[in-house]
Coordinates of all heavy atoms in Angstrom, one line a residue:
T1 N -10.4 15.7 2.8 CA -9.7 16.8 3.5 C -8.2 16.4 3.7 O -7.8 15.3 3.5 CB -10.3 17.1 4.9 OG1 -10.2 15.9 5.7 CG2 -11.8 17.4 4.8
I2 N -7.4 17.4 4.2 CA -6.0 17.1 4.5 C -5.9 15.9 5.5 O -5.1 15.0 5.3 CB -5.3 18.3 5.0 CG1 -5.1 19.3 3.9 CG2 -3.9 17.9 5.6 CD1 -4.5 20.6 4.4
R3 N -6.7 16.0 6.6 CA -6.6 14.9 7.6 C -7.0 13.6 6.9 O -6.4 12.5 7.2 CB -7.6 15.2 8.7 CG -7.6 14.2 9.8 CD -8.5 14.6 10.9 NE -8.5 13.6 12.0 CZ -9.3 13.6 13.1 NH1 -10.1 14.6 13.2 NH2 -9.2 12.6 14.0
G4 N -8.0 13.6 6.1 CA -8.5 12.4 5.4 C -7.4 11.8 4.5 O -7.2 10.6 4.4
R5 N -6.7 12.7 3.8 CA -5.6 12.3 2.9 C -4.5 11.6 3.7 O -3.9 10.6 3.3 CB -5.1 13.5 2.1 CG -6.0 14.1 1.1 CD -5.3 15.1 0.3 NE -6.2 15.8 -0.6 CZ -5.9 16.7 -1.5 NH1 -4.6 17.0 -1.7 NH2 -6.8 17.3 -2.3
I6 N -4.2 12.2 4.9 CA -3.1 11.7 5.7 C -3.5 10.3 6.1 O -2.7 9.3 6.1 CB -2.8 12.6 6.9 CG1 -2.2 13.9 6.3 CG2 -1.8 11.9 7.8 CD1 -2.1 15.0 7.4
I7 N -4.7 10.1 6.5 CA -5.2 8.7 6.9 C -5.1 7.8 5.8 O -4.7 6.6 5.9 CB -6.6 8.8 7.5 CG1 -6.6 9.6 8.8 CG2 -7.2 7.4 7.7 CD1 -8.0 9.9 9.3
A8 N -5.6 8.3 4.6 CA -5.5 7.5 3.4 C -4.1 7.1 3.1 O -3.8 5.9 2.6 CB -6.1 8.2 2.2
L9 N -3.2 8.0 3.3 CA -1.8 7.7 3.0 C -1.2 6.6 3.9 O -0.4 5.8 3.5 CB -0.9 8.9 3.1 CG -1.1 9.9 1.9 CD1 -0.3 11.2 2.3 CD2 -0.5 9.3 0.7
F10 N -1.7 6.6 5.2 CA -1.3 5.6 6.1 C -1.7 4.2 5.6 O -0.9 3.3 5.6 CB -1.9 5.9 7.5 CG -1.6 4.7 8.5 CD1 -0.4 4.6 9.1 CD2 -2.7 3.9 8.8 CE1 -0.2 3.5 9.9 CE2 -2.5 2.8 9.7 CZ -1.2 2.6 10.3
F11 N -2.9 4.1 5.2 CA -3.4 2.8 4.7 C -2.8 2.5 3.4 O -2.5 1.3 3.1 CB -4.9 2.8 4.6 CG -5.6 2.7 5.9 CD1 -6.2 3.8 6.5 CD2 -5.6 1.5 6.7 CE1 -6.8 3.7 7.8 CE2 -6.2 1.4 7.9 CZ -6.8 2.5 8.5
C12 N -2.5 3.5 2.6 CA -1.8 3.3 1.3 C -0.4 2.7 1.5 O 0.0 1.8 0.8 CB -1.7 4.6 0.6 SG -0.8 4.5 -1.0
S13 N 0.3 3.2 2.6 CA 1.6 2.7 2.8 C 1.6 1.2 3.2 O 2.4 0.4 2.8 CB 2.3 3.5 3.9 OG 1.6 3.4 5.2
L14 N 0.5 0.8 4.0 CA 0.4 -0.6 4.4 C 0.0 -1.4 3.2 O 0.6 -2.5 3.0 CB -0.7 -0.7 5.4 CG -0.5 -0.1 6.8 CD1 -1.7 -0.3 7.7 CD2 0.8 -0.6 7.5
W15 N -0.8 -0.9 2.3 CA -1.2 -1.6 1.1 C -0.1 -1.8 0.2 O 0.2 -2.9 -0.3 CB -2.3 -0.8 0.4 CG -3.1 -1.5 -0.6 CD1 -2.9 -2.8 -1.1 CD2 -4.4 -1.1 -1.2 NE1 -3.9 -3.1 -2.0 CE2 -4.8 -2.1 -2.0 CE3 -5.1 0.1 -1.1 CZ2 -6.0 -2.0 -2.8 CZ3 -6.3 0.2 -1.8 CH2 -6.7 -0.8 -2.7
L16 N 0.8 -0.8 0.0 CA 1.9 -0.9 -0.8 C 2.9 -1.9 -0.3 O 3.5 -2.7 -1.0 CB 2.6 0.4 -1.0 CG 1.9 1.5 -1.9 CD1 2.6 2.8 -1.7 CD2 1.9 1.0 -3.3
A17 N 3.1 -1.9 1.1 CA 4.0 -2.9 1.7 C 3.5 -4.3 1.4 O 4.3 -5.2 1.3 CB 4.1 -2.6 3.2
C18 N 2.2 -4.5 1.5 CA 1.7 -5.9 1.3 C 1.7 -6.3 -0.2 O 1.8 -7.5 -0.5 CB 0.2 -5.9 1.8 SG 0.1 -5.7 3.6
T19 N 1.6 -5.4 -1.1 CA 1.5 -5.7 -2.5 C 2.8 -5.7 -3.3 O 2.9 -6.1 -4.4 CB 0.5 -4.8 -3.3 OG1 1.0 -3.5 -3.1 CG2 -0.9 -5.0 -2.7
A20 N 3.9 -5.1 -2.6 CA 5.1 -4.9 -3.3 C 5.8 -6.2 -3.7 O 6.6 -6.2 -4.7 CB 6.1 -4.1 -2.4
C21 N 5.5 -7.3 -3.0 CA 6.1 -8.6 -3.4 C 5.1 -9.6 -3.9 O 5.3 -10.8 -3.8 CB 6.8 -9.1 -2.1 SG 8.1 -8.1 -1.5
D22 N 4.0 -9.1 -4.4 CA 2.9 -10.0 -4.8 C 2.7 -10.0 -6.3 O 2.3 -9.0 -6.9 CB 1.6 -9.5 -4.1 CG 0.4 -10.4 -4.5 OD1 0.7 -11.6 -4.8 OD2 -0.7 -9.9 -4.4
D23 N 3.1 -11.1 -7.0 CA 2.7 -11.2 -8.4 C 2.3 -12.6 -8.6 O 2.1 -13.4 -7.7 CB 3.9 -10.8 -9.3 CG 5.1 -11.8 -9.1 OD1 5.0 -12.8 -8.4 OD2 6.2 -11.4 -9.6
D24 N 2.0 -12.9 -9.9 CA 1.4 -14.2 -10.3 C 2.2 -15.4 -9.8 O 1.6 -16.5 -9.5 CB 1.1 -14.3 -11.8 CG 0.1 -13.3 -12.2 OD1 -0.7 -12.8 -11.4 OD2 0.1 -12.9 -13.4
D25 N 3.5 -15.3 -9.8 CA 4.4 -16.4 -9.4 C 4.8 -16.3 -8.0 O 5.6 -17.1 -7.6 CB 5.6 -16.4 -10.3 CG 5.3 -16.6 -11.8 OD1 4.3 -17.3 -12.1 OD2 5.9 -15.9 -12.6
N26 N 4.3 -15.3 -7.2 CA 4.7 -15.2 -5.8 C 6.2 -15.0 -5.7 O 6.7 -15.2 -4.6 CB 4.2 -16.3 -5.0 CG 2.7 -16.4 -4.9 OD1 2.1 -15.4 -4.7 ND2 2.2 -17.6 -4.9
A27 N 6.9 -14.5 -6.7 CA 8.3 -14.2 -6.6 C 8.5 -12.8 -6.0 O 7.7 -11.9 -6.1 CB 8.9 -14.2 -8.0
T28 N 9.6 -12.7 -5.3 CA 9.9 -11.4 -4.7 C 10.3 -10.4 -5.8 O 11.1 -10.6 -6.7 CB 11.2 -11.5 -3.8 OG1 10.8 -12.5 -2.8 CG2 11.5 -10.2 -3.1
R29 N 9.7 -9.2 -5.7 CA 9.9 -8.1 -6.7 C 9.6 -6.8 -6.0 O 8.9 -6.8 -5.0 CB 9.1 -8.3 -8.0 CG 7.6 -8.1 -7.8 CD 6.9 -8.3 -9.1 NE 5.4 -8.2 -8.9 CZ 4.8 -7.0 -8.9 NH1 5.4 -5.9 -9.1 NH2 3.5 -7.0 -8.8
V30 N 10.1 -5.7 -6.5 CA 9.8 -4.4 -6.0 C 9.0 -3.7 -7.0 O 9.3 -3.6 -8.2 CB 11.1 -3.6 -5.8 CG1 10.8 -2.2 -5.4 CG2 12.0 -4.3 -4.8

């Protein structure tokens, strides 16, 4: 539902924030 999507987006934003700098070499990247 719309409410469910909004909740999903909240967790998505946290997930993206955590993974935006995560790669095999642990180097900073966007």
Side-chain angles (χ1 to χ4, degrees):
T1 63
I2 290 175
R3 182 180 179 184
R5 290 186 188 188
I6 294 170
I7 293 171
L9 286 172
F10 171 76
F11 286 105
C12 177
S13 65
L14 295 179
W15 199 347
L16 288 171
C18 292
T19 60
C21 299
D22 180 28
D23 64 10
D24 293 339
D25 298 322
N26 292 319
T28 300
R29 66 182 177 87
V30 176

